Amino acid sequence: MFPDNDELEVACDALWFVKRRDAADAAQQRLWDRLQTVRSGDYGGSASTDLAPEEVSATLRALHSCSEQIALDDDERRLLGRLESL
């Protein structure tokens, strides 16, 4: 899966959410670490990368964890829907 820059930022936000709660698993931590080197840190940037299937799963778990504790915003819901449709 090739997320665009904005989707990468949303994924990083979800991963940060689970990290802050000491709930990130090893795959989520690896993905967080990897994305920090490619992300632009802002919406509308030019960052891109390919997410492997296990990274897509890690992102899905993070988004689901977020949704259990807070209401997802439009960007988070869009990314969740896209990942679930893969």
Side-chain angles (χ1 to χ4, degrees):
M1 180 221 178
F2 288 95
D4 64 24
N5 180 81
D6 293 352
E7 290 172 326
L8 287 176
E9 293 303 318
V10 171
C12 285
D13 287 350
L15 292 164
W16 176 245
F17 182 86
V18 294
K19 279 179 56 69
R20 274 193 9 228
R21 286 161 175 71
D22 293 323
D25 59 35
Q28 289 167 329
Q29 181 63 52
R30 282 191 305 274
L31 179 57
W32 166 260
D33 293 339
R34 186 172 87 75
L35 291 181
Q36 296 317 296
T37 63
V38 291
R39 70 188 287 203
S40 68
D42 201 3
Y43 285 89
S46 61
S48 66
T49 191
D50 185 18
L51 294 183
E54 61 271 9
E55 293 174 326
V56 169
S57 294
T59 305
L60 269 170
R61 287 192 307 280
L63 286 165
H64 282 290
S65 179
C66 291
S67 71
E68 292 169 359
Q69 299 177 45
I70 59 170
L72 298 181
D73 66 21
D74 290 342
D75 294 328
E76 292 161 338
R77 282 192 302 276
R78 252 190 311 278
L79 180 57
L80 179 61
R82 181 170 179 220
L83 296 176
E84 288 179 332
S85 71
L86 296 177

